[in-house]
Amino acid sequence: MIIAKFGGTSVEDAGAMKNVQKIVAGLRDRQPVVVSSACSGVTNTLIGLARMALVDCAKSLWIVEELRARHQGILNDLFPGEPAACETVGVQIDAMMDELRDLARSISILGELTDRSLDTFASFGEKLSTLILSALFRKEGMEVVLVNAQEVVITSDDFTRAVPLFEEIAPRARRLIGEKASAGYVVVTQGFLGATREGVATTIGRGGSDYSAAILGSVLDAEEIQIWTDVDGMMTSDPSRIPSARLIPEMTFREAAELAYFGAKVLHPSTIIPAVQKNIPVRILNSRRPHVKGTVILGSPKLHTDAPVKSIANKRGITLVTITSTRMLMMHGFLARVFEIFARYERSVDVIATSEVSISLTLDSEDGLDEILGELRKVADVEVERDKAIFCVVGENLRRSKGTLTAIFGALERNDIPVSMISLGASEINVTFVVNGSDAEKTAQLLHSTFFSP
Ligand code: ADP
Ligand code: ASP
Ligand code: MG
């Protein structure tokens, strides 16, 4: 059994969905379980329409009509001249749109939008795309079962970032998905969505369909998890910013995890965890160019390479917080105190560097920051710098190779790019540092040309 996850651009319109159908047809003898995202941009639109309902109900209802037109349009393009085939799915799309209108009206009347309601709005995107996709598969003669992910992926009630409960998911996935796939059906289900034990809609975090694929792959003991997207695979840098970025044929779970965590959004960072636990290869492939071999992510490498650097990722819009103890001594108690405050506000930090009296750390959003700063200032002097960028240079051979650090920081120095913070040693395979946001573009170009010059 294999899991084939298709991202938003891979199901953005009728043409893209036809490509998906052909790809899945080619996977028939491997018992494919298809996990799909919403059509590209739809999750953002749904969240936007929910927020709009609070301020302008008429406008939000208008957005619902745009969504209706887009999905009905895809359906009509897929079934030209087949009104009967179109009709049953069209009726279901209409019913979902009417439900969305009701939801928007109730938000407008109540004047309140909770994370719980947001998840209900967001859940429509994947339900719509999978409804259309499964109809297309059927039309092409496949025996399809459309499984509602909300009956399988049981999660905590941390709305918008719900935590999957594997022990609940495993038996459901085996019964509702595994058995069907083994019996020869093509299973189609939604990424990103889950539900609490009580059946309330949840989502597992933005970009979470990759994670859904990995969760299902893990509980179903899949032989491979395929992530079909709009680029050829994991590249040496984000190809939308560095056009000369090259495809990486193979990388380790550790390398992929560091890259995903530090900004390579081609893979959701949590995806790697279930894959590692069961040692299931993850393959990144391009749904527009399915003949390209893509990137395979494995526990241990099969190909030999001496190159010190595999890839470079960066994350922008970072806040750097420097905390200096006002009571110079007792660093041990100070560290505990500081991290207890971050833990209490459920905030994780990305990069940390410490000295005898101070700690520098980075945050990728300012959620809860005011409250945290209030608490920290009771025990320390705190300095906050905004609009920073984290760079993460990754490679299994990084530490063994000579001169890599000199190459990185020498290039930055020669180009007058100041470095605010360096983290080295926490993981053997990466070097992480922080620069000003205004230097991010230049740094990205510079590092890429330093390690991957044509
Ligand atoms: P999907 O909708 O299929 O989930 P995403 O937009 O989430 O796709 O991820 C694919 C995008 O990730 C690419 O279009 C690319 O711009 C970006 N990306 C960032 N870093 C990298 C990288 N190192 N290699 C490949 N793509 C990357
Ligand atoms: N549709 C969801 C999002 O846009 C999940 C995903 O596409 O991975 O965040
Ligand atoms: Mg994605």
Side-chain angles (χ1 to χ4, degrees):
M1 191 175 307
I2 67 162
I3 311 290
K5 177 262 171 177
F6 294 88
T9 45
S10 301
V11 292
E12 66 185 349
D13 56 24
M17 286 198 186
K18 284 184 191 164
N19 284 344
V20 170
Q21 192 276 326
K22 287 194 197 94
I23 291 167
V24 175
L27 298 171
R28 276 308 293 273
D29 54 354
R30 297 175 76 188
Q31 302 182 348
V33 173
V34 175
V35 174
S36 178
S37 288
C39 306
S40 69
V42 167
T43 309
N44 284 344
T45 307
L46 287 162
I47 292 169
L49 105 80
R51 298 213 167 105
M52 182 56 75
L54 280 176
V55 285
D56 186 337
C57 186
K59 231 184 208 167
S60 74
L61 297 180
W62 183 72
I63 301 174
V64 176
E65 293 318 308
E66 280 186 338
L67 280 175
R68 190 193 304 266
R70 173 157 178 205
H71 289 93
Q72 295 285 15
I74 297 177
L75 189 64
N76 289 331
D77 290 346
L78 289 173
F79 293 84
E82 291 177 71
C86 244
E87 205 178 288
T88 36
V89 181
V91 168
Q92 293 180 66
I93 294 177
D94 273 337
M96 286 164 81
M97 293 303 161
D98 294 344
E99 209 182 314
L100 263 180
R101 287 179 72 95
D102 290 344
L103 278 169
R105 281 200 200 93
S106 22
I107 295 298
S108 161
I109 293 165
L110 292 172
E112 188 190 33
L113 179 65
T114 58
D115 282 348
R116 176 177 167 146
S117 317
L118 266 179
D119 274 355
T120 299
F121 276 92
S123 70
F124 280 74
E126 272 70 9
K127 285 190 189 160
L128 286 159
S129 62
T130 49
L131 178 64
I132 302 174
L133 201 58
S134 52
L136 170 66
F137 286 9
R138 237 170 246 129
K139 168 181 137 104
E140 296 300 330
M142 290 178 165
E143 286 197 277
V144 185
V145 183
L146 175 58
V147 174
N148 181 356
Q150 292 171 319
E151 289 171 15
V152 177
V153 182
I154 305 302
T155 69
S156 70
D157 63 359
D158 299 292
F159 295 102
T160 73
R161 52 191 169 90
V163 180
L165 306 174
F166 280 79
E167 68 288 2
E168 298 270 353
I169 298 170
R172 288 173 166 83
R174 279 182 212 123
R175 184 164 42 85
L176 297 171
I177 297 178
E179 285 178 15
K180 298 287 179 203
S182 307
Y185 291 96
V186 174
V187 178
V188 177
T189 191
Q190 302 87 16
F192 185 47
L193 310 191
T196 64
R197 285 192 188 92
E198 294 72 36
V200 182
T202 57
T203 61
I204 58 171
R206 293 304 309 272
S209 293
D210 298 345
Y211 189 23
S212 301
I215 295 165
L216 294 177
S218 148
V219 298
L220 293 170
D221 287 318
E223 64 176 89
E224 182 169 294
I225 297 161
Q226 298 187 339
I227 305 290
W228 290 86
T229 183
D230 61 351
V231 285
D232 285 348
M234 186 73 91
M235 320 277 281
T236 49
S237 279
D238 182 347
S240 70
R241 291 181 186 275
I242 311 279
S244 59
R246 297 186 207 156
L247 177 65
I248 305 164
E250 185 191 278
M251 64 193 338
T252 63
F253 285 131
R254 295 202 299 175
E255 290 171 327
E258 298 283 356
L259 289 167
Y261 192 71
F262 288 106
K265 80 159 178 166
V266 64
L267 199 63
H268 187 285
S270 312
T271 308
I272 293 296
I273 307 159
V276 173
Q277 280 162 355
K278 292 270 177 91
N279 203 15
I280 302 173
V282 177
R283 199 178 288 275
I284 305 178
L285 295 149
N286 190 343
S287 66
R288 294 170 183 164
R289 289 159 35 94
H291 54 279
V292 177
K293 281 203 130 177
T295 301
V296 62
I297 304 168
L298 301 165
S300 47
K302 289 211 174 91
L303 301 175
H304 178 76
T305 165
D306 288 326
V309 175
K310 210 41 113 38
S311 184
I312 304 159
N314 70 79
K315 225 177 179 180
R316 307 190 187 192
I318 297 295
T319 301
L320 177 63
V321 181
T322 303
I323 306 154
T324 307
S325 169
T326 40
R327 303 180 209 132
M328 297 290 230
L329 295 169
M330 297 202 301
M331 188 62 179
H332 54 284
F334 178 56
L335 281 178
R337 188 94 182 252
V338 166
F339 288 111
E340 183 273 321
I341 294 171
F342 281 93
R344 202 163 354 113
Y345 288 91
E346 295 183 6
R347 283 308 315 269
S348 52
V349 299
D350 286 342
V351 190
I352 306 166
T354 64
S355 75
E356 184 64 27
V357 292
S358 66
I359 310 170
S360 291
L361 49 84
T362 65
L363 300 170
D364 63 5
S365 91
E366 296 208 355
D367 292 346
L369 185 60
D370 286 343
E371 290 90 337
I372 292 173
L373 291 179
E375 300 253 356
L376 288 173
R377 287 195 167 116
K378 291 181 194 159
V379 291
D381 290 330
V382 186
E383 195 192 331
V384 178
E385 293 169 76
R386 298 194 160 81
D387 187 26
K388 298 280 181 179
I390 297 179
F391 276 79
C392 180
V393 179
V394 173
E396 290 281 351
N397 298 335
L398 202 74
R399 289 305 169 72
R400 265 175 276 134
S401 62
K402 280 200 182 129
T404 311
L405 292 180
T406 317
I408 298 172
F409 295 108
L412 295 176
E413 194 177 330
R414 280 192 299 283
N415 286 274
D416 293 324
I417 299 174
V419 178
S420 316
M421 173 179 173
I422 301 174
S423 170
L424 192 66
S427 146
E428 276 194 350
I429 64 158
N430 88 26
V431 177
T432 306
F433 58 91
V434 177
V435 299
N436 292 328
S438 53
D439 287 328
E441 207 52 57
K442 193 169 156 193
T443 305
Q445 306 280 354
L446 187 64
L447 288 182
H448 196 266
S449 60
T450 301
F451 292 104
F452 307 104
S453 57

